[in-house]
Amino acid sequence: MTSVSIMGGSGYVGGELLRLLFAHPECELQIVTSRKYAGEPLYRTHPNLRGITSLRFQKEDLESVAAKSEIVFTALPHGKSLEVVPKLLDYGVKVIDLAADFRLKDAANYKEYYALEHTRADLLESSVYGLPELHRAQIKDANLVSVPGCMATAAILSLTPAIRNGWVDTERIIIDAKIGSSGAGVNPTIASHHSERAGGVRPYMVAGHRHTAEVDQELSSIANKTVHVGFTPHAVNMIRGILSTAHTFMLQTLEPRSVFKGFRAEYENEPFVRLISDKKGLYGLPNPKLTLGTNYCDIGFEIDPHSRRLIIFSAIDNLTKGAAGEAVQCFNIMTNHDEKTGLSMLGIHP
Amino acid sequence: MTSVSIMGGSGYVGGELLRLLFAHPECELQIVTSRKYAGEPLYRTHPNLRGITSLRFQKEDLESVAAKSEIVFTALPHGKSLEVVPKLLDYGVKVIDLAADFRLKDAANYKEYYALEHTRADLLESSVYGLPELHRAQIKDANLVSVPGCMATAAILSLTPAIRNGWVDTERIIIDAKIGSSGAGVNPTIASHHSERAGGVRPYMVAGHRHTAEVDQELSSIANKTVHVGFTPHAVNMIRGILSTAHTFMLQTLEPRSVFKGFRAEYENEPFVRLISDKKGLYGLPNPKLTLGTNYCDIGFEIDPHSRRLIIFSAIDNLTKGAAGEAVQCFNIMTNHDEKTGLSMLGIHP
Amino acid sequence: MTSVSIMGGSGYVGGELLRLLFAHPECELQIVTSRKYAGEPLYRTHPNLRGITSLRFQKEDLESVAAKSEIVFTALPHGKSLEVVPKLLDYGVKVIDLAADFRLKDAANYKEYYALEHTRADLLESSVYGLPELHRAQIKDANLVSVPGCMATAAILSLTPAIRNGWVDTERIIIDAKIGSSGAGVNPTIASHHSERAGGVRPYMVAGHRHTAEVDQELSSIANKTVHVGFTPHAVNMIRGILSTAHTFMLQTLEPRSVFKGFRAEYENEPFVRLISDKKGLYGLPNPKLTLGTNYCDIGFEIDPHSRRLIIFSAIDNLTKGAAGEAVQCFNIMTNHDEKTGLSMLGIHP
Amino acid sequence: MTSVSIMGGSGYVGGELLRLLFAHPECELQIVTSRKYAGEPLYRTHPNLRGITSLRFQKEDLESVAAKSEIVFTALPHGKSLEVVPKLLDYGVKVIDLAADFRLKDAANYKEYYALEHTRADLLESSVYGLPELHRAQIKDANLVSVPGCMATAAILSLTPAIRNGWVDTERIIIDAKIGSSGAGVNPTIASHHSERAGGVRPYMVAGHRHTAEVDQELSSIANKTVHVGFTPHAVNMIRGILSTAHTFMLQTLEPRSVFKGFRAEYENEPFVRLISDKKGLYGLPNPKLTLGTNYCDIGFEIDPHSRRLIIFSAIDNLTKGAAGEAVQCFNIMTNHDEKTGLSMLGIHP
């Protein structure tokens, strides 16, 4: 049993963490902080917890958080983590951070994409990018795990086998993502206003989206050369979920069979990557609908000889495998528990 | 560990049963039948089970089903259960039936509402209406449990305390229900065609809906007199979920406090009824969104002195508490397990 | 050709007015004011006008508005109209007001429902409730027309024939409304946040909703006695549209034929009321989907002998017949144009 | 005034044609055929026409259709047009065909993509591809106009300036489309079942989609060399609308200003192409939401130096500019009317 706390627990990612941790048999939740809701019951912002817990948000007190916790999940805004995380580390607790502040190894990239000076670049080397499928061994021993961005998770997992196997032109990778509204967080804006969001498809940050930097970093490392992906997200009429469509150009003629084999070689022991091989029926390719509330990343592909494309699709729930679920998966690795502990829920259909 | 089978497992209710039973620690799934999909893997129609099981549908063979099962769930069309259930009972297995064929005690009502002759009226007396909150003791010892209709579950649970306490005019009860598309089942029709269903609200079977008969039966029994409710459903743009709005006229001046007390008296020990007392925030009254995939029935109310109404809202997931979850709850009662076994999942938000 | 201006043109109702007036052959738009967006092009808040007009919002200057306009549409917040409208009238222009400030004849009701002191109760008698189907003659000669609330329009039109003909118990009228998110206006709030609004049904202001007062006022006038309706709205996953379900108890046995005759007698010459008599197919009862962007109010009914109910359904687009379209209809009456001028667009399907 | 008829008027495209033609001041509708609904009123399948017309579907009688019509719109299934259109031409009427049968100049492509032998390849040369922006002059004099596929319209219009100006690598063009459910037509299938379609994003026919052939044909003609686009559609939770995202790789460094100039040069006189230059606000790039029910094609773009992409977005209503509206635009050209006749409706917002 591990003592954990959550700092910044009132947003959608904080809520998803709470849902998962309340059902987790190996952790004991100590403190959940929220500056805005301190004193209020957790179910005030997370109504799905009504009848489950009478716990309340507490104000941000690093010392008592550190005193009571072995591992702290930080679900704070970008920039704010930069302040808080180093202090928690100084207190000797381990941190699983859900902001972007410690994801990029190169502080210059952080400045470029987040328009903030990185004041603790000294921590970037030891911080581990929390994608278990790529960095499991380092996560195990890390003091600071930085959980990937939701769209980055989907994109990197879909492209890793293609790049590792040298199948595709790494200079012309396109990722066209479709994402639900929860990805924009809990604060109402005109972009997330139901009357505006429903009924349409809205491209946004179509060049220069922040997750581009993480995807480049991880794929470059696999490719052993600099990769600059073309990444473009679209806001669709869905609450949770990401479908990432990676369009790549094949460098050679590929057979479905051998591509599938490459994917299986990469992921066959992964508890949360489901490869779709059976094309029959309506769900022969990934659809985020089927990952709702689960930690799965579904991956499928198709070869298009006409345009010489290998098209790779991946689907996740942006709040689960794209954030809180991935964080819990990291937690399980760090605490030597079975990786599926607390994450074995099945998805619903329809 | 109890051996169970499902007859008619390819529809949405069958799929939800499978989702719940695969996660149930006390039951062992033997056979899942489907005339249409015999030989196909379960995930063909239930894609959420992909990667979870390689089990296949089998053809309908009552003898082998009965031989291998202690309890059989039947999720067959109305009329078909009438044929199959008695044979299963003859084989000595217990049956939890999800069709309407054994819900109504009066065979004449069955004929009126379902336009079918009831050929086994002899079984109606011993069949138990599977609403644990009202019939727990009988469910425990039943050989045949008939799981309530989805909208009936929501309506009956919301109205029981008001009728039992004599608060409201039983001659003028109105139930205005809003239901998601999964309630219409897996077979595509123009009514469930996305282009028609999305973007609107469609009243349907606004007088004479079949669930009226069940609601009347149960409420009459509580009221100790004949109750004829006015029941009107509306198809809304939602997949799973029912919101039942019961408009009742108060016979006396009521205080929120005493009404709440009456509801608590009825339900305080119920594991799946959540009473909403805290009105703050967006979820001060039930919203089916928060019950998605769970077995909860959320209940809340408001007093309107202006029109002398007591308005009672209840929300459920039509496939879970409205069908498969309720069936599993009955199963737990029949097998002496904790009623929450296999049903403890939290809802998601947002 | 009539010179018109709009005060408060940046909200959803203002935008709908602009859409209608740009297509109106008999009016010349002069000034559109917005305190917040003064200087910006209209298409900044109304992107459907991009490519249609390069007009810009102006700041609120009553004198120049009055100087340039024969009729002014005011689409200002409640309370604000109370200030502005009397001044415009003093300048000698006619006003079509879309706020609630001049709808209620009894200033005490205004205070009760809007929590504001009515400072110009002297104008309430001469102000005309802008529902053409009930007050056409007075609208024609009015200096101040107060356009009804969206849900009030739907409810009053559906109930008028039933009350006028003495068919139903006026002491037990229930209106259960389902409304789209645009009814809540353009300002983002957590209630209209896509992640919260989509995927559920949320009852709100279930007792004491402000439109109750208008409905009571108009129906009481028809009934010649005090009517207190029970009115309860529900927020559904839809952008535009209202379905009003009026549950009434019949005082006598009614035949569909004679009810339909009563509705026809009331509305046969109405250009925007469509009575649905043909029950075949998916749209045998009103569905707001079919009124999208039009000024129609679709009405249909069903008799339920089982509960002695006459159930009357009405559907409108809350921004058109529920606000801006009704305002333009009033404008046409006031300016002696054919009532359908500028309002003849057909709805879309699907 | 031109006499027109519609053959195959009961589907979604037929219904949209009816909506447009009833509001068209220069055409007189004679006969609307439907084999399935002959004898039924038009509003049986097009409920938006209720109260507008009492016209009925007639059975398919080519002789009387030809006798009464100068121009016939055929909205028949692929393959069926192949039979009917030549006969109509033989009768001496002009035809605007909405099927795919006469779109492809090369009969071999038709066979490859539609799996049908083209029995009237002799007509392919004189048939005109009905995209006014590219083929206006030929449409004017054509006897047979073949209206483009919906996704092809969006894709071709977005890519034409980029190819004509030699800005991009024509060997690596990717079109990632997002489409609403009405694109799949009126017949219910499991893919269009609300419970399956809503709540997700489903890639389908991700390689080899039929519209690929048209896009290749038109873009090759502009490029003066063979172009094979990579085309991949996704079914999203929307009723009407297409967003086409064209990812292209720049052959040179481009400035937004000069790209915009190139687009303006191509489209400045086009009545239905709206170029979006103002990036402020929520609608700085195309969103199909704003084209609902209109004949507009909205186009916008962004340059991504990071990946050397020119990303071009286009949005249309698949039933209007993507089918029936484009057909009416062709009709206006063929009959020498202003191209906007009957097509001047503004879109709605929100």
Side-chain angles (χ1 to χ4, degrees):
Chain A
M1 198 66 102
T2 308
S3 296
V4 304
S5 291
I6 299 175
M7 294 198 62
S10 68
Y12 285 157
V13 168
E16 186 72 350
L17 262 175
L18 285 164
R19 178 177 79 94
L20 298 175
L21 295 181
F22 274 114
H24 196 290
E26 302 291 350
C27 84
E28 205 158 20
L29 188 61
Q30 302 293 324
I31 293 175
V32 185
T33 74
S34 163
R35 281 205 283 196
K36 192 169 169 192
Y37 292 96
E40 299 274 324
L42 299 185
Y43 66 74
R44 180 75 65 237
T45 57
H46 309 306
N48 55 326
L49 300 181
R50 199 167 43 198
I52 308 301
T53 177
S54 54
L55 217 65
R56 286 168 185 274
F57 290 111
Q58 298 186 29
K59 59 184 196 305
E60 209 172 81
D61 174 350
L62 284 176
E63 195 172 337
S64 63
V65 166
K68 294 200 175 167
S69 321
E70 294 164 74
I71 295 184
V72 176
F73 295 89
T74 46
L76 299 160
H78 306 314
K80 177 75 183 160
S81 265
L82 199 51
E83 265 175 57
V84 168
V85 168
K87 293 181 190 161
L88 288 169
L89 293 171
D90 285 347
Y91 279 113
V93 299
K94 294 186 171 194
V95 179
I96 299 174
D97 182 35
L98 289 119
D101 298 352
F102 297 96
R103 289 179 197 155
L104 302 176
K105 295 299 169 193
D106 182 344
N109 279 339
Y110 183 72
K111 191 169 182 190
E112 181 188 345
Y113 280 93
Y114 293 87
L116 292 169
E117 203 66 51
H118 205 299
T119 52
R120 293 303 303 267
D122 58 304
L123 290 170
L124 293 177
E125 204 191 317
S126 62
S127 145
V128 176
Y129 191 70
L131 194 58
E133 292 78 5
L134 294 185
H135 303 290
R136 184 170 278 112
Q138 296 122 286
I139 292 168
K140 201 173 163 54
D141 300 320
N143 287 319
L144 168 55
V145 168
S146 183
V147 178
C150 56
M151 292 191 283
T153 291
I156 296 165
L157 290 178
S158 73
L159 284 159
T160 292
I163 292 178
R164 177 134 31 230
N165 288 284
W167 293 330
V168 303
D169 179 356
T170 54
E171 310 231 323
R172 291 180 180 81
I173 290 174
I174 286 169
I175 300 156
D176 187 297
K178 296 87 183 165
I179 185 166
S181 55
S182 63
V186 74
N187 292 319
T189 64
I190 188 69
S192 66
H193 200 45
H194 181 275
S195 291
E196 305 293 338
R197 173 85 182 217
V201 175
R202 189 172 66 85
Y204 70 100
M205 289 194 234
V206 299
H209 187 282
R210 291 165 164 187
H211 290 183
T212 310
E214 299 172 40
V215 177
D216 282 354
Q217 168 179 291
E218 297 299 307
L219 297 188
S220 295
S221 157
I222 291 161
N224 260 320
K225 62 181 163 190
T226 302
V227 175
H228 283 173
V229 300
F231 176 71
T232 296
H234 299 77
V236 297
N237 184 15
M238 177 165 72
I239 299 175
R240 288 173 175 230
I242 292 170
L243 181 78
S244 166
T245 307
H247 302 271
T248 65
F249 293 96
M250 298 183 288
L251 294 175
Q252 54 187 285
T253 301
L254 294 170
E255 292 304 314
R257 200 193 191 111
S258 62
V259 173
F260 191 76
K261 226 168 134 181
F263 273 89
R264 208 172 44 202
E266 185 79 36
Y267 294 128
E268 64 188 334
N269 296 318
E270 285 302 332
F272 295 112
V273 177
R274 291 192 295 201
L275 300 176
I276 304 181
S277 56
D278 179 351
K279 299 274 181 193
K280 276 194 209 162
L282 208 55
Y283 296 92
L285 287 170
N287 185 334
K289 190 180 173 71
L290 295 181
T291 66
L292 188 76
T294 77
N295 202 47
Y296 289 114
C297 177
D298 286 351
I299 298 181
F301 67 89
E302 191 93 27
I303 289 168
D304 180 18
H306 181 79
S307 61
R308 286 151 300 114
R309 277 182 305 158
L310 169 63
I311 319 156
I312 316 167
F313 302 90
S314 56
I316 61 169
D317 180 323
N318 53 300
L319 293 177
T320 320
K321 181 62 175 166
E326 191 135 278
V328 172
Q329 190 180 353
C330 291
F331 169 86
N332 288 337
I333 294 169
M334 292 161 82
T335 54
N336 282 312
H337 291 112
D338 183 297
E339 227 163 289
K340 299 196 78 164
T341 311
L343 294 172
S344 59
M345 57 282 183
L346 299 184
I348 62 172
H349 173 255
Chain B
M1 201 63 104
T2 309
S3 296
V4 305
S5 292
I6 300 175
M7 295 198 62
S10 68
Y12 285 158
V13 169
E16 185 71 350
L17 263 176
L18 285 165
R19 177 177 79 94
L20 298 174
L21 295 181
F22 274 114
H24 196 291
E26 303 290 349
C27 85
E28 205 159 20
L29 188 61
Q30 302 293 323
I31 294 175
V32 185
T33 75
S34 164
R35 282 205 283 196
K36 193 169 168 192
Y37 293 95
E40 299 274 323
L42 299 184
Y43 65 74
R44 179 76 64 237
T45 59
H46 310 305
N48 55 327
L49 301 181
R50 199 167 41 198
I52 309 302
T53 178
S54 53
L55 215 65
R56 287 168 184 272
F57 290 111
Q58 299 187 27
K59 61 183 195 304
E60 207 173 83
D61 174 349
L62 284 176
E63 197 172 334
S64 62
V65 166
K68 296 201 174 164
S69 322
E70 294 163 76
I71 296 185
V72 176
F73 295 89
T74 45
L76 298 161
H78 307 314
K80 176 76 183 161
S81 264
L82 199 50
E83 262 175 60
V84 167
V85 167
K87 291 179 192 163
L88 288 168
L89 294 172
D90 285 347
Y91 279 113
V93 300
K94 294 186 172 196
V95 178
I96 298 175
D97 181 34
L98 288 119
D101 298 352
F102 298 95
R103 289 180 196 155
L104 302 176
K105 294 300 170 191
D106 183 344
N109 278 340
Y110 183 71
K111 190 170 179 188
E112 183 189 341
Y113 281 91
Y114 292 86
L116 292 169
E117 203 67 49
H118 205 301
T119 52
R120 293 302 303 267
D122 58 303
L123 290 171
L124 293 177
E125 205 191 317
S126 62
S127 144
V128 176
Y129 191 70
L131 194 59
E133 291 79 4
L134 294 185
H135 303 291
R136 183 169 279 110
Q138 297 123 284
I139 291 166
K140 200 172 163 54
D141 300 320
N143 288 318
L144 169 54
V145 168
S146 181
V147 177
C150 56
M151 292 192 282
T153 291
I156 295 165
L157 291 178
S158 73
L159 285 160
T160 292
I163 292 179
R164 188 160 348 255
N165 289 284
W167 293 330
V168 303
D169 180 355
T170 55
E171 311 230 324
R172 292 179 182 80
I173 291 173
I174 286 168
I175 300 156
D176 187 298
K178 296 87 182 164
I179 186 167
S181 56
S182 63
V186 73
N187 292 317
T189 64
I190 188 70
S192 66
H193 200 46
H194 181 276
S195 290
E196 304 293 336
R197 174 83 181 219
V201 175
R202 190 173 65 87
Y204 71 100
M205 289 194 234
V206 298
H209 187 281
R210 290 164 165 187
H211 290 183
T212 311
E214 298 171 43
V215 177
D216 282 355
Q217 168 180 293
E218 297 299 307
L219 297 187
S220 295
S221 157
I222 292 160
N224 260 319
K225 61 182 163 188
T226 303
V227 175
H228 283 173
V229 300
F231 176 72
T232 296
H234 299 76
V236 297
N237 184 15
M238 176 164 73
I239 299 175
R240 286 173 175 230
I242 292 170
L243 181 78
S244 166
T245 307
H247 302 271
T248 65
F249 293 97
M250 298 183 287
L251 295 173
Q252 54 187 284
T253 301
L254 293 171
E255 292 305 314
R257 199 194 191 110
S258 62
V259 173
F260 191 76
K261 224 167 136 181
F263 273 89
R264 208 172 44 202
E266 186 78 36
Y267 294 127
E268 64 188 332
N269 296 317
E270 285 303 332
F272 295 111
V273 177
R274 290 193 294 202
L275 301 175
I276 304 181
S277 55
D278 180 349
K279 299 275 181 192
K280 276 195 210 162
L282 206 56
Y283 295 93
L285 287 170
N287 185 335
K289 190 181 172 73
L290 295 181
T291 65
L292 188 75
T294 78
N295 202 46
Y296 289 113
C297 177
D298 285 352
I299 297 181
F301 66 89
E302 192 92 27
I303 289 167
D304 180 19
H306 181 78
S307 60
R308 286 150 301 112
R309 279 182 304 158
L310 170 63
I311 319 156
I312 316 166
F313 302 89
S314 55
I316 61 169
D317 180 324
N318 54 300
L319 293 179
T320 320
K321 182 62 176 168
E326 190 134 280
V328 172
Q329 191 181 354
C330 290
F331 169 86
N332 288 338
I333 295 169
M334 292 161 82
T335 54
N336 282 312
H337 292 112
D338 184 294
E339 227 162 288
K340 299 194 79 164
T341 312
L343 293 172
S344 59
M345 57 281 185
L346 299 183
I348 63 171
H349 173 256
Chain C
M1 200 65 105
T2 307
S3 295
V4 305
S5 291
I6 300 175
M7 294 198 63
S10 68
Y12 285 157
V13 169
E16 185 71 350
L17 261 175
L18 285 165
R19 178 177 77 95
L20 298 174
L21 295 180
F22 273 114
H24 196 290
E26 303 290 350
C27 86
E28 206 159 19
L29 188 61
Q30 302 293 324
I31 294 175
V32 185
T33 74
S34 163
R35 283 205 282 196
K36 192 169 168 191
Y37 293 96
E40 299 274 324
L42 299 185
Y43 65 73
R44 180 75 65 237
T45 59
H46 310 306
N48 55 326
L49 301 180
R50 199 166 42 197
I52 309 301
T53 179
S54 54
L55 218 64
R56 284 169 186 273
F57 290 111
Q58 299 186 27
K59 60 185 195 302
E60 208 172 83
D61 174 349
L62 283 176
E63 196 172 336
S64 62
V65 165
K68 295 201 173 165
S69 321
E70 294 163 75
I71 296 184
V72 176
F73 294 89
T74 45
L76 299 160
H78 307 314
K80 177 77 182 160
S81 265
L82 199 50
E83 263 176 58
V84 167
V85 166
K87 292 180 190 162
L88 288 169
L89 293 172
D90 286 347
Y91 278 113
V93 301
K94 294 185 172 194
V95 178
I96 299 174
D97 181 35
L98 288 119
D101 297 353
F102 298 96
R103 289 180 196 154
L104 302 176
K105 294 301 168 190
D106 183 344
N109 278 340
Y110 183 73
K111 191 169 180 189
E112 183 188 343
Y113 281 92
Y114 293 87
L116 293 169
E117 203 66 50
H118 204 299
T119 53
R120 293 302 304 265
D122 58 305
L123 289 170
L124 293 177
E125 204 190 319
S126 61
S127 144
V128 176
Y129 191 70
L131 194 58
E133 291 78 4
L134 294 185
H135 303 291
R136 183 169 280 113
Q138 296 124 284
I139 291 167
K140 199 171 163 55
D141 299 321
N143 287 319
L144 170 53
V145 168
S146 182
V147 177
C150 55
M151 291 192 282
T153 291
I156 296 165
L157 291 178
S158 74
L159 285 160
T160 293
I163 292 178
R164 182 143 16 238
N165 289 284
W167 292 331
V168 302
D169 180 355
T170 55
E171 311 230 324
R172 291 179 181 82
I173 291 174
I174 286 168
I175 300 156
D176 186 298
K178 296 87 183 164
I179 186 166
S181 56
S182 64
V186 73
N187 292 318
T189 64
I190 188 70
S192 65
H193 199 46
H194 181 275
S195 291
E196 304 292 338
R197 174 82 180 219
V201 175
R202 189 172 66 87
Y204 70 100
M205 288 193 235
V206 299
H209 188 280
R210 291 164 164 188
H211 289 184
T212 310
E214 299 171 43
V215 177
D216 282 355
Q217 169 179 291
E218 297 299 306
L219 297 187
S220 295
S221 159
I222 291 161
N224 261 319
K225 61 182 163 190
T226 302
V227 174
H228 283 173
V229 299
F231 177 72
T232 296
H234 299 75
V236 296
N237 185 15
M238 176 165 72
I239 300 175
R240 288 173 173 230
I242 293 170
L243 181 78
S244 165
T245 306
H247 302 271
T248 64
F249 292 97
M250 299 183 287
L251 295 174
Q252 53 188 285
T253 301
L254 293 170
E255 292 303 317
R257 199 194 191 110
S258 62
V259 172
F260 191 76
K261 224 166 134 180
F263 272 89
R264 207 172 46 201
E266 186 78 35
Y267 293 126
E268 64 188 333
N269 297 317
E270 286 302 333
F272 296 112
V273 177
R274 290 192 294 201
L275 300 175
I276 303 181
S277 56
D278 179 350
K279 300 274 181 193
K280 276 194 211 161
L282 207 56
Y283 295 93
L285 287 170
N287 185 334
K289 191 179 171 73
L290 295 181
T291 66
L292 187 77
T294 78
N295 203 46
Y296 288 113
C297 177
D298 286 350
I299 299 182
F301 68 89
E302 192 92 27
I303 290 167
D304 179 18
H306 181 79
S307 61
R308 286 150 300 111
R309 278 182 305 158
L310 170 61
I311 319 156
I312 316 167
F313 301 89
S314 55
I316 61 169
D317 181 323
N318 53 300
L319 293 177
T320 321
K321 182 62 176 167
E326 190 134 278
V328 172
Q329 190 181 355
C330 290
F331 169 85
N332 288 338
I333 294 169
M334 293 161 82
T335 54
N336 283 311
H337 291 112
D338 182 296
E339 227 162 288
K340 298 196 77 163
T341 311
L343 293 172
S344 59
M345 59 281 186
L346 299 183
I348 62 171
H349 174 255
Chain D
M1 199 65 104
T2 308
S3 296
V4 305
S5 291
I6 299 174
M7 294 197 62
S10 68
Y12 285 158
V13 168
E16 185 71 350
L17 261 176
L18 285 165
R19 178 177 80 94
L20 298 174
L21 295 181
F22 273 115
H24 196 290
E26 304 290 350
C27 86
E28 206 159 20
L29 188 61
Q30 302 294 322
I31 293 175
V32 186
T33 74
S34 164
R35 283 205 283 197
K36 192 168 168 192
Y37 293 96
E40 299 274 324
L42 299 185
Y43 65 73
R44 181 75 66 236
T45 57
H46 310 306
N48 55 327
L49 301 180
R50 198 167 42 198
I52 309 302
T53 178
S54 54
L55 217 63
R56 285 166 187 274
F57 290 111
Q58 297 186 28
K59 59 185 195 304
E60 207 173 83
D61 173 349
L62 283 176
E63 195 173 335
S64 62
V65 165
K68 294 200 175 167
S69 321
E70 294 163 75
I71 296 184
V72 176
F73 294 89
T74 45
L76 299 160
H78 306 315
K80 177 75 184 162
S81 264
L82 199 51
E83 265 175 57
V84 168
V85 167
K87 292 180 190 163
L88 288 169
L89 293 172
D90 286 346
Y91 279 113
V93 300
K94 294 185 171 194
V95 177
I96 299 174
D97 182 34
L98 289 120
D101 297 351
F102 298 96
R103 288 180 196 155
L104 302 176
K105 294 301 170 191
D106 183 345
N109 279 339
Y110 182 73
K111 190 169 179 189
E112 182 188 344
Y113 280 91
Y114 293 86
L116 292 169
E117 202 67 49
H118 205 301
T119 52
R120 293 303 303 268
D122 57 305
L123 290 170
L124 293 177
E125 202 191 318
S126 61
S127 144
V128 176
Y129 191 70
L131 193 59
E133 292 77 5
L134 294 185
H135 303 290
R136 184 170 280 112
Q138 296 121 285
I139 290 167
K140 199 171 164 56
D141 299 321
N143 288 318
L144 169 54
V145 168
S146 182
V147 178
C150 55
M151 291 191 283
T153 290
I156 295 166
L157 290 178
S158 73
L159 285 161
T160 292
I163 292 178
R164 181 144 14 240
N165 288 283
W167 293 330
V168 303
D169 179 355
T170 55
E171 310 231 325
R172 291 181 182 81
I173 292 174
I174 285 169
I175 300 157
D176 187 298
K178 296 86 182 166
I179 186 166
S181 56
S182 64
V186 74
N187 292 319
T189 63
I190 189 69
S192 66
H193 200 45
H194 181 276
S195 290
E196 304 293 337
R197 173 84 180 217
V201 175
R202 188 173 66 85
Y204 70 100
M205 289 193 235
V206 299
H209 188 281
R210 291 166 163 186
H211 289 184
T212 310
E214 298 172 43
V215 177
D216 282 354
Q217 169 179 292
E218 297 298 307
L219 297 187
S220 295
S221 158
I222 291 162
N224 260 320
K225 61 181 164 190
T226 301
V227 175
H228 283 173
V229 300
F231 177 72
T232 296
H234 299 77
V236 296
N237 184 15
M238 176 165 73
I239 299 174
R240 286 173 175 230
I242 293 170
L243 181 77
S244 166
T245 306
H247 302 271
T248 63
F249 292 97
M250 299 183 288
L251 295 174
Q252 53 188 285
T253 301
L254 293 170
E255 291 304 316
R257 199 193 192 110
S258 62
V259 172
F260 191 75
K261 223 167 137 181
F263 273 89
R264 208 172 44 203
E266 184 80 35
Y267 293 128
E268 66 187 332
N269 296 316
E270 284 302 332
F272 295 112
V273 177
R274 290 192 296 201
L275 300 176
I276 303 181
S277 55
D278 180 350
K279 300 273 182 194
K280 275 193 210 161
L282 208 54
Y283 296 94
L285 287 171
N287 185 333
K289 190 179 172 73
L290 295 181
T291 66
L292 188 75
T294 77
N295 203 46
Y296 288 114
C297 177
D298 287 351
I299 299 181
F301 67 89
E302 193 92 26
I303 289 167
D304 180 19
H306 181 78
S307 60
R308 286 151 300 110
R309 277 181 305 157
L310 170 62
I311 319 156
I312 315 166
F313 301 89
S314 56
I316 61 169
D317 181 325
N318 55 300
L319 293 177
T320 320
K321 182 62 175 166
E326 190 134 278
V328 171
Q329 190 180 354
C330 290
F331 169 86
N332 288 338
I333 294 169
M334 293 162 81
T335 54
N336 283 311
H337 291 113
D338 183 295
E339 227 163 287
K340 298 196 78 163
T341 312
L343 294 173
S344 59
M345 58 281 185
L346 300 183
I348 62 172
H349 173 253

